[in-house]
Amino acid sequence: MNIVVCAKQVVDVSEIKVDSSTKKPILSGVPQKISDIDKNALEEAIRIKEKHGGKITVVTVGPSDAKERIKELLAMGADEGVLVVPPQNADYSVVSHILAGAIKKIGGYDIVLCGEASIDMFSGQMGPRVAGLLNIPQITYAQNVVVEKDKVVSERNLGDKAVTIESPYPVLITVTKEINQPRLPSLMQILASSSKPIHKWSASDVASGKLEPKIKTVDIKGVPMVRKNVIFHDDLDQCVNKLVDELAKVGVLR
Amino acid sequence: MVLVYSDDKKLTLELLNKGKELAKELHKKVIAVCIGHDSFAKDYLEHGADSVIAAEADLHTFKAEEYASILEKIVKENNVEVVLIGSNKNGKELAARLSAKLDTGCVTDCTNVYVKDKKIVTERMVYSGNAIAVEQFLSHPQIVTIPPKAFNPLPKTEGHKGEVIKKKYDFERSPSKITKVQEMKTEGVNVEDAEIIVSCGRGFKNKDDIRLVRELADALKGRTIGCSRPIAADLKWLSEDHWIGLSGHKVKPKLYIACGISGQIQHIAGMRDSGVVVAINKDPEALIFKSADYGIVGDLYQVLPKLTNAIREKMG
């Protein structure tokens, strides 16, 4: 099985601070990491490889420093990395063209795996867009993946129902966070990964024609959340009574 | 033309309201689409659609590839400029696949949509609810997905007339095959409509202890219990219809009580629109207190029975 995993470098959303006057998020200086659910995608790829053999290539569209993040993925078990630095105004459409172009250039793939969405933007567009550009079947929200000789069988989690779907190769699959627990690489694996190749391709190497964004970000607004933050500290009975009095006063007990 | 589509009838009616408003401003008409049937055509006309396209197609189950192929044809035939799609799981993957086919922009999960300089502007939550991205289209058609309850449906106008266009569509077939559809175990809970929610998280040690939450919910006559991700997704102590958060349900009750929930931003993203928020947690540093109006720092095993009693007394 030749597998391509699409992994995005994102800001660690749990580390984002909010500017107290503008209520806007402060994005500079926030640590970067690989989007959590993309790690689930890589873990699934590694499990498939362990059972059926093959090769795993990870593709990241991001800034040059994303190379450090790709090393972590190679340590986890990917065989090769590809980094493509996008043009400045890259929207969902531009990135999907680059990813699809890079996957075609890698070639000979059976499965493309990615997370159901990235944890920063959470748009969930990338998988289906790339599948559309490659004109291959898509299986989204997979909560398990079973690889067979000439087909893959997967169960999709749609919240109110589970749909089992099978597809021939090649196929693109997006996974949920529940599908597995991504492994932590050992020190030996981290050391060994330094000999694995990371290819740096330019956007024009992989995507022909003009890469024009279809969406422009006009603003990143803050989300003012005004909460009273009244914390009761006395002995427990008093706390409970004060809370109940307050709730009655603001009119939510009726 | 403004096109509206969801496989969920209720959601389609909500989209029609927004679609009608956008169409008016752009001096266009709004069309609703049914795929594979025409059962809701009359409802869609009575709730604001100028016309309904009932696409007849030889398909039985939803596959994004096939639905996108049909919608692509409808969009091209009708010179559609704006496409509003219901943002459930099917709708999101459909919208993204469709935008790849049409090589155009798409913004998902928009809670606000308006027209500026004749172009669509959208707003949606990003960074796990820490910010709102305002985005504007540079391309046509403009594809937007809208979650449930972002807009109200228009009131019904009995006998509102409009054309129902029944037409057969061929489409590109997907080589994938759906072999089983299984209803997930649910307890029929609708957290999105609940007025009062008592919610539980990792602070609970055993599945049986969730009765403490149930008893408080009963005392509040809210009867709706929710939970954070680990309880539904990892421990499976409650079915997923209770799950509140970024990947679960987004709720806006008038009272939200979070018990033993640490307050990861993914959870906050699901409940931040609640009216009054109460947090109970033994860790005074728990993030949940920052998103709460009232908090009690204490062991939920002691707090909850006392709180339930006090509320019973107060409410009589």
Side-chain angles (χ1 to χ4, degrees):
Chain A
M1 282 295 137
N2 287 325
I3 305 173
V4 179
V5 178
C6 306
K8 183 183 182 186
Q9 176 179 260
V10 297
V11 293
D12 185 345
V13 284
S14 62
E15 299 281 331
I16 292 179
K17 302 271 183 296
V18 173
D19 184 305
S20 54
S21 57
T22 63
K23 302 288 175 211
K24 287 192 179 204
I26 304 164
L27 295 169
S28 64
V30 182
Q32 305 277 321
K33 64 173 189 175
I34 291 293
S35 178
D36 305 30
I37 318 175
D38 293 344
K39 280 201 172 168
N40 294 94
L42 175 59
E43 175 64 34
E44 202 58 27
I46 297 167
R47 291 182 191 194
I48 294 169
K49 185 188 160 181
E50 284 170 347
K51 230 170 163 176
H52 303 275
K55 181 177 166 186
I56 302 169
T57 311
V58 287
V59 186
T60 296
V61 177
S64 304
D65 65 7
K67 200 174 167 188
E68 295 308 309
R69 305 284 94 68
I70 296 178
K71 285 182 187 164
E72 295 165 22
L73 302 176
L74 295 175
M76 265 177 80
D79 298 294
E80 284 189 24
V82 171
L83 172 64
V84 191
V85 180
Q88 202 177 11
N89 292 315
D91 69 340
Y92 314 103
S93 164
V94 169
V95 174
S96 66
H97 276 286
I98 295 174
L99 279 173
I103 293 165
K104 279 186 195 161
K105 189 172 155 107
I106 293 163
Y109 58 92
D110 301 299
I111 303 175
V112 179
L113 275 167
C114 50
E116 62 162 295
S118 63
I119 58 154
D120 56 346
M121 293 298 142
F122 219 84
S123 87
Q125 283 195 42
M126 213 41 77
R129 278 196 99 115
V130 170
L133 293 175
L134 295 171
N135 204 20
I136 59 175
Q138 67 194 48
I139 299 177
T140 53
Y141 310 106
Q143 57 185 6
N144 69 41
V145 174
V146 178
V147 163
E148 294 175 20
K149 191 166 168 287
D150 46 14
K151 67 179 184 203
V152 61
V153 184
S154 180
E155 198 177 276
R156 305 177 58 218
N157 179 349
L158 297 184
D160 54 347
K161 50 184 185 260
V163 174
T164 310
I165 185 164
E166 52 183 57
S167 168
Y169 303 108
V171 60
L172 181 141
I173 303 173
T174 80
V175 305
T176 65
K177 207 164 173 352
E178 286 69 48
I179 192 168
N180 57 39
Q181 185 68 44
R183 69 193 64 193
L184 292 172
S186 67
L187 185 61
M188 284 301 288
Q189 286 173 309
I190 293 171
L191 292 174
S193 69
S194 61
S195 61
K196 292 180 177 176
I198 299 178
H199 309 283
K200 204 171 164 187
W201 295 343
S202 73
S204 56
D205 288 343
V206 296
S208 54
K210 265 200 200 160
L211 287 168
E212 282 178 356
K214 309 287 196 277
I215 304 277
K216 164 173 94 175
T217 302
V218 183
D219 193 12
I220 297 287
K221 289 200 295 189
V223 189
M225 184 161 66
V226 185
R227 292 287 174 199
K228 292 191 181 123
N229 299 129
V230 177
I231 310 293
F232 300 108
H233 286 290
D234 314 308
D235 82 83
L236 191 52
D237 288 303
Q238 280 188 25
C239 284
V240 167
N241 288 334
K242 280 187 191 164
L243 173 62
V244 174
D245 286 345
E246 281 291 328
L247 292 180
K249 218 173 7 178
V250 295
V252 289
L253 299 185
R254 55 183 75 174
Chain B
M1 285 286 189
V2 174
L3 182 151
V4 162
Y5 173 75
S6 173
D7 54 2
D8 177 339
K9 179 187 162 193
K10 207 171 145 205
L11 187 46
T12 309
L13 299 182
E14 295 168 12
L15 301 183
L16 269 173
N17 187 1
K18 196 45 154 179
K20 187 110 188 141
E21 183 196 310
L22 298 173
K24 207 174 152 193
E25 226 171 301
L26 296 164
H27 308 290
K28 307 282 176 199
K29 299 274 185 212
V30 55
I31 40 179
V33 174
C34 299
I35 295 178
H37 65 86
D38 64 351
S39 339
F40 308 138
K42 186 166 166 281
D43 295 292
Y44 292 169
L45 290 175
E46 287 180 344
H47 284 88
D50 293 307
S51 59
V52 174
I53 294 176
E56 292 170 15
D58 175 28
L59 37 72
H60 307 286
T61 41
F62 174 86
K63 284 183 208 163
E65 301 95 301
E66 298 182 343
Y67 274 52
S69 169
I70 293 171
L71 277 184
E72 182 191 12
K73 290 187 175 159
I74 296 175
V75 165
K76 286 182 174 163
E77 274 172 13
N78 294 278
N79 203 13
V80 171
E81 290 194 28
V82 179
V83 181
L84 302 183
I85 292 180
S87 206
N88 51 23
K89 285 187 170 175
N90 284 349
K92 276 177 78 165
E93 64 157 335
L94 169 61
R97 180 97 189 189
L98 178 64
S99 41
K101 284 180 90 78
L102 293 166
D103 195 24
T104 191
C106 172
V107 187
T108 52
D109 288 328
C110 301
T111 49
N112 198 5
V113 185
Y114 51 92
V115 178
K116 197 182 167 193
D117 305 329
K118 294 189 178 144
K119 291 191 189 98
I120 297 291
V121 179
T122 56
E123 295 190 357
R124 67 187 197 95
M125 284 280 189
V126 293
Y127 300 120
S128 282
N130 273 312
I132 293 168
V134 185
E135 292 167 297
Q136 187 166 29
F137 281 86
L138 305 170
S139 62
H140 280 277
Q142 307 163 89
I143 302 179
V144 173
T145 81
I146 297 175
K149 293 205 165 28
F151 307 108
N152 292 318
L154 279 179
K156 184 170 169 173
T157 320
E158 289 283 354
H160 180 273
K161 292 269 184 299
E163 202 183 354
V164 178
I165 305 151
K166 286 190 193 177
K167 194 174 165 186
K168 197 164 169 36
Y169 284 89
D170 294 323
F171 54 90
E172 287 170 37
R173 301 217 170 241
S174 168
S176 69
K177 201 165 79 184
I178 290 164
T179 53
K180 195 164 95 184
V181 178
Q182 201 179 358
E183 294 298 318
M184 296 266 258
K185 190 182 141 268
T186 67
E187 283 143 39
V189 180
N190 187 347
V191 284
E192 281 165 13
D193 282 337
E195 290 220 322
I196 295 179
I197 297 175
V198 185
S199 219
C200 53
R202 270 327 297 266
F204 284 79
K205 297 188 188 92
N206 298 298
K207 186 180 173 183
D208 286 346
D209 302 341
I210 290 175
R211 73 183 156 76
L212 296 172
V213 173
R214 224 176 277 279
E215 282 162 13
L216 177 57
D218 282 351
L220 285 160
K221 303 186 170 57
R223 292 179 191 280
T224 306
I225 66 173
C227 65
S228 60
R229 184 178 172 283
I231 303 291
D234 302 332
L235 298 165
K236 300 193 190 301
W237 288 351
L238 288 171
S239 57
E240 287 190 12
D241 44 350
H242 295 89
W243 176 2
I244 292 161
L246 195 60
S247 311
H249 297 275
K250 303 207 175 48
V251 299
K252 32 186 149 180
K254 60 178 189 177
L255 174 62
Y256 187 84
I257 305 185
C259 312
I261 291 178
S262 62
Q264 297 280 323
I265 37 179
Q266 287 84 351
H267 183 74
I268 305 298
M271 51 61 81
R272 64 182 310 137
D273 293 332
S274 302
V276 174
V277 175
V278 175
I280 297 162
N281 202 300
K282 66 179 176 193
D283 175 9
E285 300 297 318
L287 284 170
I288 190 78
F289 288 120
K290 288 191 181 153
S291 304
D293 293 291
Y294 305 103
I296 293 181
V297 179
D299 181 355
L300 64 91
Y301 286 90
Q302 288 172 21
V303 180
L304 284 181
K306 282 185 194 285
L307 183 58
T308 303
N309 274 336
I311 283 181
R312 277 202 192 113
E313 272 174 34
K314 193 83 180 179
M315 296 186 62

